[in-house]
Amino acid sequence: MATFISVPLKKSSEVDLSKPLTKFIHNTYPSGEEQNEYCRAADELNKLRKSAVGRPLDKHDSSLETVMRYYDQLCSIEPKFPFTESQLCLTFTWKDAFDKGSIFGGSVKLALPSLGYEKTCVLFNIGALASQIACEQNLDNDEALKAASKYYQLASGAFSHIKDTVLSSLNRDPTVDISPDTVGTLSLIMLAQAQEVFFLKATRDKMKDALIAKLANQAADYYGDAFKQCQYKDTLSKEVFPILAAKHCIMQAHAEYHQAVLAKQQKKFGEEIGRLQHASDLVKTVSSRYDEYINVKDLADKINRALTAAKKDNDFIYHDRVPDLKDLESIGKASLVKPTPINIPLSQKFSDLFEKMVPLAVQQCLNVYNQRKAELINTTIAQMRDATTFVNGVLASLNLPAAIEDVSGDSIPQSILQKSKAIIQQGGIQTIDQLIRDLPELLQRNKEILEESLKFLDEEEATDNDLKSKFKDRWQRTPSIELYKPLRTEGDSFRGVLDRAIGADAVVKERYQTHREAIAILCKPETELNAAIPSANPAKTLQGSEVVSTLKSLLNMLDEVKKGREQLENDIKSVNFDMTTKFLTALAQDGAVNEEAISVTELDRIYGSYTHKVQENLKKQEDIINNIQSSHQEFSKMKQTNSEANLREEVLKNLAVGHDNYIELVANLREGTKFYNDLTEILLKFQGKCSDIVFARKTERDELLKDLQQSIAREPSAPSIPQVPSYQNAPSTVTTNATSSIPTPAPRTVFSGKQPPPRPPPPTVPAGGPVPASSIQTTNTTSAAVSITVPSQPLSTTIPTQAQGPPYPSYPGYPGYYGMPMPVGFNPYMYGQQGMPAYMYQPPSGQAPYGSQQPGYSYPQQPFYPPQ
């Protein structure tokens, strides 16, 4: 059976996608069914990840389909969510697929807050699982051959895509398994195996030998290129190198064999023999070097049979010259495989969980468009309100319409009475006092939220700086000071907003103090209000005059203009137009959105007519005011003047101004209260964003610290072991005065399954003859091995530096006896002078080993074989 290489899967740590995505959805999209649908989609995405990478996967199509659906979904949500360290920060941790880890350091892994990193690792698993499924195919039928080739090409395409995109997807060096060199080699290996599968199918279908030779030669080239790429790099498993080398030789041998068959058909018998000889040499190389990885016996037999027959025929019949290998024509190549392009979607069952959510680029364009729209609307409405404020001020300065209504001189003018009732209906002066008292509390709450948010960033940044100074170049992650720049800019913007709000509050309070007396008078009951207004002689001469009628008519026209502005304001606020389709169309057509050009054009089309109506209204008001001022001058000349009348007119003017300021102050204070409450929600989101990124950074920091600890544990304590002193290499000797140490027992003989070696001869006796063991007085009943020389020389006190084994080897069923050494201080049988263990005894020639002279302590008796 053919040997194929499969790639192991990468393993990932668990990541909760649901919580951060749901939080982003709540902060970005308004409450409603759309928001709920997006939250349910986030839960489904989290479940899909658990199914794709959070459990062991079967080598089956369904498992591959699940992983591909998850990859498609990642590609789909990438443009729809801001997956950055400063916005939506998700840290993904993956282990190196080829690293087996160590006892102390564990496996090599990398944690990055990058969706591109997650996509790369998932795509790696798609290629790895496809290679495993291909290896599981039964290559004895056509369907399995087609499936294997398809999966190998898919795996090659996945690894090739990673090679082209991995460096741009990550902001740091990847792990070895997804580095460009490694995945480039894996892509080439998968392509070679797909080519080999086509060779097997061509062989099975008995296609022409010329085509089969070209297919095999192309596969040999792929294997050879893959071997060259990885032979000097320690990235793949050690078993891969010999398999690649063997496959290169085998496919070359197949190519030469089928080319030899073609040469025979073409009557080129010498070329046939030369190619068969080369094929035989290649197979012999595989047999001698890589036999433990790939069995080529059948191929070798087939080639040798063909070579023998070819030589026999050529020697007896053809006598064709056998050319040298270098003179043989090169075999052509035919590639039927290519890496499968990675086009989204990969899965045929893919359905986008966030189909209704627009891409992030369109979301950003919509946000900018809404800002432009709000700016246009606010500018237009402010222009109309300023015109209303201006005309109210003009009328108040002219004491209109109170001047033409005050004909009796001692009653309240109808306009002043209406203004008083309007103020009382809105709560009077107590409303303003309560609103002003609430502002400091709202302001302080926003200040505290902002300061606490920035405190999160400060504390984490200080910790990051400490670790950076401690680990220096080892601390490889984005510095917090750079990562938090957008958040700090946003925080400074919020602080500026609060400072401007404080200034605006002071202006409102000052205006209130200026007009508080007039507002308080308008809040009084009608009788008290009438008493607060000075009386004067009536202007009887003005009753029924033409100038009064003209002023009344102009004032009515001015009221109509003001009501028209109010209607225009409501109409402008109610206009709504969805720009999503416009931006999506532009993105689909051009690949980018020119937001400014599209927004300006559409805003002009939608609000152009309203802007024109506003300008007409303002122009009409200007003309009416000019006419009112002219008529009022004539009215003032006709009016009888005295000190009481002037005082009364001044009080009525102040009351009219007080009413106008009351209306503005209440509106301003309520807008300020709403502003602070809305700002609180925004600051809480900002606080959540700061809290989330700090939490993600802490998680990333913990992972990085753990990896650094493992890396430090794997490092050697010193660059090299110091040189061993010479005296430690000298053989140890023991003098008669030194205490002898117990030698290390000899290791047991390991049975290898072969025939036992012949029994060694008995030890020779030195010149002078042995001294009987009985003549040596010992305290041990068991004899010890002592070398004896002639009596004229002292006893040798040198003992072997290495333990000696038993005088006979161990065989199956005959393990022999090994005496165990005992401590010298507690062994009553130890030889007193030398302290040597019993298994060191070697008896003289002809004496049976392990005598049974000792009473009460029986040793196992072994048969004795006298020397031959």
Side-chain angles (χ1 to χ4, degrees):
M1 183 177 179
T3 302
F4 290 93
I5 298 171
S6 63
V7 181
L9 294 171
K10 289 177 70 68
K11 295 181 180 179
S12 173
S13 300
E14 183 177 355
V15 178
D16 187 358
L17 299 179
S18 178
K19 289 183 179 179
L21 292 181
T22 301
K23 190 170 185 179
F24 174 82
I25 291 167
H26 281 300
N27 293 338
T28 306
Y29 296 93
S31 300
E33 182 59 30
E34 183 182 39
Q35 185 188 90
N36 296 334
E37 183 178 352
Y38 292 158
C39 292
R40 289 193 294 269
D43 293 336
E44 290 298 322
L45 178 62
N46 192 52
K47 294 177 182 177
L48 181 59
R49 187 184 194 275
K50 290 181 179 179
S51 300
V53 302
R55 62 181 180 87
L57 296 175
D58 298 329
K59 300 174 184 179
H60 193 268
D61 294 350
S62 59
S63 299
L64 183 61
E65 185 71 24
T66 301
V67 182
M68 289 195 296
R69 277 200 299 121
Y70 178 57
Y71 180 79
D72 291 337
Q73 192 61 66
L74 290 178
C75 295
S76 173
I77 67 171
E78 187 175 22
K80 299 179 180 181
F81 290 91
F83 290 101
T84 61
E85 290 185 77
S86 58
Q87 297 184 62
L88 187 55
C89 185
L90 286 171
T91 301
F92 300 97
T93 304
W94 288 83
K95 294 182 179 179
D96 191 317
F98 301 113
D99 183 76
K100 303 303 181 184
S102 63
I103 298 176
F104 302 104
S107 299
V108 174
K109 60 183 177 181
L110 178 63
L112 287 179
S114 167
L115 188 72
Y117 176 55
E118 173 84 347
K119 285 173 53 184
T120 299
C121 295
V122 173
L123 186 58
F124 181 94
N125 274 6
I126 290 175
L129 187 57
S131 71
Q132 295 178 12
I133 296 174
C135 288
E136 291 294 313
Q137 299 298 315
N138 181 8
L139 302 182
D140 292 336
N141 60 79
D142 289 345
E143 292 301 323
L145 287 169
K146 292 178 182 178
S149 178
K150 180 186 75 171
Y151 287 125
Y152 280 133
Q153 291 179 78
L154 173 61
S156 179
F159 294 134
S160 178
H161 186 80
I162 295 173
K163 177 186 176 183
D164 296 336
T165 60
V166 62
L167 295 181
S168 60
S169 300
L170 311 183
N171 56 2
R172 57 173 294 177
D173 293 336
T175 49
V176 175
D177 55 346
I178 58 173
S179 64
D181 290 342
T182 303
V183 291
T185 303
L186 292 176
S187 176
L188 199 52
I189 292 174
M190 296 299 114
L191 203 62
Q193 296 186 152
Q195 181 76 12
E196 183 180 355
V197 170
F198 271 104
F199 159 77
L200 294 175
K201 186 177 188 317
T203 305
R204 178 185 179 87
D205 294 345
K206 293 182 172 49
M207 292 184 178
K208 294 182 178 181
D209 291 288
L211 175 60
I212 296 175
K214 291 178 181 180
L215 293 174
N217 196 34
Q218 182 64 70
D221 260 17
Y222 284 147
Y223 280 120
D225 292 343
F227 179 77
K228 290 176 184 177
Q229 286 188 12
C230 66
Q231 64 176 334
Y232 299 116
K233 299 172 184 176
D234 188 17
T235 56
L236 301 179
S237 175
K238 298 294 185 183
E239 292 79 9
V240 173
F241 307 143
I243 292 177
L244 292 178
K247 283 293 190 77
H248 172 66
C249 295
I250 291 172
M251 298 314 295
Q252 272 191 323
H254 278 297
E256 295 290 352
Y257 173 80
H258 287 280
Q259 194 68 21
V261 174
L262 180 63
K264 182 178 181 180
Q265 295 170 359
Q266 297 174 349
K267 309 298 183 181
K268 299 178 181 178
F269 303 107
E271 179 183 344
E272 176 193 9
I273 296 174
R275 293 193 181 279
L276 289 175
Q277 285 178 341
H278 186 207
S280 179
D281 293 339
L282 290 170
V283 172
K284 288 179 181 177
T285 301
V286 175
S287 298
S288 61
R289 296 182 182 180
Y290 314 116
D291 184 51
E292 59 180 309
Y293 299 100
I294 296 180
N295 185 359
V296 291
K297 186 177 183 303
D298 294 340
L299 177 61
D301 292 343
K302 182 173 71 171
I303 293 174
N304 290 332
R305 286 195 301 269
L307 178 59
T308 301
K311 284 183 176 180
K312 182 178 179 181
D313 291 345
N314 191 56
D315 291 342
F316 286 95
I317 303 173
Y318 307 113
H319 303 288
D320 197 4
R321 185 183 69 85
V322 178
D324 293 336
L325 179 61
K326 62 182 180 180
D327 296 331
L328 292 175
E329 184 179 353
S330 60
I331 304 174
K333 300 173 186 176
S335 178
L336 298 182
V337 296
K338 63 179 180 179
T340 301
I342 302 301
N343 296 322
I344 305 304
L346 293 176
S347 171
Q348 298 178 354
K349 301 179 181 179
F350 171 69
S351 60
D352 190 1
L353 297 174
F354 298 89
E355 183 177 4
K356 295 182 180 180
M357 184 181 289
V358 298
L360 190 61
V362 176
Q363 291 182 27
Q364 293 171 346
C365 291
L366 288 172
N367 292 336
V368 178
Y369 165 78
N370 289 331
Q371 292 176 2
R372 293 181 187 275
K373 173 184 172 182
E375 184 179 353
L376 176 62
I377 293 175
N378 292 336
T379 301
T380 305
I381 291 177
Q383 190 178 14
M384 292 190 292
R385 289 181 179 179
D386 289 343
T388 301
T389 303
F390 172 76
V391 73
N392 288 338
V394 171
L395 294 179
S397 66
L398 300 178
N399 194 26
L400 294 175
I404 59 177
E405 294 172 352
D406 186 24
V407 292
S408 63
D410 56 358
S411 63
I412 304 174
Q414 189 63 30
S415 61
I416 297 298
L417 195 59
Q418 291 175 354
K419 289 179 171 61
S420 175
K421 290 180 180 179
I423 290 177
I424 292 174
Q425 286 177 356
Q426 295 191 36
I429 200 168
Q430 291 82 7
T431 300
I432 295 183
D433 290 338
Q434 183 62 43
L435 290 172
I436 289 178
R437 282 195 298 268
D438 291 343
L439 288 181
E441 181 180 350
L442 298 174
L443 173 65
Q444 184 61 29
R445 180 180 63 186
N446 288 329
K447 279 185 174 180
E448 291 175 356
I449 295 173
L450 179 60
E451 294 303 325
E452 185 177 359
S453 303
L454 297 177
K455 185 180 178 181
F456 290 157
L457 305 181
D458 293 338
E459 292 176 352
E460 200 284 326
E461 183 176 325
T463 304
D464 183 70
N465 292 336
D466 292 341
L467 292 172
K468 178 66 176 178
S469 60
K470 179 179 179 181
F471 292 104
K472 302 189 182 304
D473 294 340
R474 289 176 177 266
W475 196 248
Q476 296 181 355
R477 71 166 184 169
T478 306
S480 296
I481 190 172
E482 295 181 8
L483 185 63
Y484 294 157
K485 281 182 180 179
L487 290 175
R488 293 198 180 279
T489 301
E490 193 174 357
D492 293 339
S493 174
F494 288 136
R495 188 178 280 112
V497 168
L498 289 176
D499 292 339
R500 290 191 294 272
I502 293 173
D505 293 345
V507 172
V508 169
K509 291 177 182 178
E510 184 179 355
R511 285 181 58 193
Y512 173 60
Q513 294 300 326
T514 302
H515 301 283
R516 192 178 193 282
E517 183 178 357
I519 296 173
I521 293 174
L522 289 171
C523 293
K524 293 180 179 181
E526 184 176 347
T527 55
E528 296 182 13
L529 175 63
N530 191 18
I533 300 174
S535 60
N537 293 328
K540 296 180 179 180
T541 57
L542 300 178
Q543 294 182 4
S545 65
E546 183 179 355
V547 66
V548 173
S549 300
T550 301
L551 284 174
K552 287 183 178 180
S553 176
L554 290 173
L555 290 175
N556 290 333
M557 292 173 61
L558 191 60
D559 287 339
E560 292 297 326
V561 170
K562 292 165 68 175
K563 290 179 181 178
R565 278 203 298 271
E566 292 177 359
Q567 184 62 41
L568 277 175
E569 180 175 340
N570 293 331
D571 292 343
I572 291 174
K573 288 181 179 179
S574 63
V575 172
N576 189 18
F577 183 77
D578 188 8
M579 291 289 292
T580 304
T581 305
K582 290 276 185 183
F583 290 138
L584 285 174
T585 303
L587 182 64
Q589 290 177 352
D590 305 330
V593 182
N594 188 350
E595 180 275 329
E596 183 177 2
I598 297 175
S599 297
V600 170
T601 302
E602 289 299 313
L603 288 175
D604 184 65
R605 182 183 66 82
I606 297 170
Y607 293 99
S609 60
Y610 293 101
T611 304
H612 181 67
K613 291 179 181 179
V614 169
Q615 296 303 320
E616 287 182 347
N617 183 281
L618 297 179
K619 183 67 173 64
K620 187 175 182 181
Q621 174 179 288
E622 184 180 356
D623 295 338
I624 294 174
I625 289 177
N626 291 333
N627 293 332
I628 288 175
Q629 289 176 336
S630 300
S631 299
H632 185 268
Q633 287 180 357
E634 185 178 352
F635 172 78
S636 298
K637 291 177 182 179
M638 296 173 59
K639 189 176 180 182
Q640 297 178 358
T641 60
N642 53 48
S643 58
E644 291 90 358
N646 291 337
L647 180 60
R648 180 180 176 85
E649 184 175 355
E650 187 67 27
V651 171
L652 292 177
K653 287 181 181 180
N654 291 336
L655 291 178
V657 172
H659 167 268
D660 294 339
N661 278 276
Y662 178 87
I663 299 300
E664 286 187 30
L665 287 171
V666 171
N668 292 338
L669 289 172
R670 285 176 175 167
E671 285 181 1
T673 302
K674 183 178 184 300
F675 163 78
Y676 281 126
N677 288 327
D678 293 343
L679 184 61
T680 299
E681 295 183 7
I682 296 173
L683 288 175
L684 287 174
K685 292 180 180 179
F686 176 73
Q687 184 184 40
K689 189 189 300 185
C690 294
S691 176
D692 290 345
I693 190 173
V694 167
F695 177 77
R697 293 283 285 179
K698 286 181 178 178
T699 304
E700 182 186 9
R701 180 189 67 197
D702 295 341
E703 290 286 343
L704 188 54
L705 280 174
K706 185 177 179 181
D707 292 344
L708 282 175
Q709 291 170 356
Q710 294 176 353
S711 176
I712 293 172
R714 285 193 290 265
E715 292 179 353
S717 301
S720 60
I721 300 175
Q723 185 176 0
V724 180
S726 58
Y727 71 87
Q728 293 186 10
N729 294 324
S732 61
T733 58
V734 181
T735 61
T736 55
N737 296 328
T739 304
S740 69
S741 61
I742 303 175
T744 304
R748 295 179 182 270
T749 304
V750 179
F751 177 66
S752 62
K754 300 179 181 180
Q755 291 297 325
R759 180 180 297 278
T764 59
V765 180
V771 178
S774 59
S775 64
I776 304 176
Q777 296 182 1
T778 66
T779 59
N780 189 350
T781 57
T782 304
S783 301
V786 181
S787 177
I788 306 298
T789 58
V790 293
S792 60
Q793 297 178 353
L795 290 172
S796 174
T797 58
T798 302
I799 63 175
T801 59
Q802 183 175 356
Q804 305 298 311
Y808 41 83
S810 299
Y811 304 122
Y814 189 80
Y817 174 79
Y818 295 86
M820 297 302 295
M822 300 177 65
V824 175
F826 297 92
N827 189 354
Y829 305 106
M830 182 60 67
Y831 182 59
Q833 294 181 356
Q834 298 293 337
M836 299 179 67
Y839 64 77
M840 294 296 296
Y841 173 70
Q842 293 191 6
S845 177
Q847 182 178 349
Y850 301 102
S852 57
Q853 292 86 357
Q854 65 276 20
Y857 193 91
S858 61
Y859 279 85
Q861 300 299 312
Q862 306 292 346
F864 171 68
Y865 299 94
Q868 301 297 328

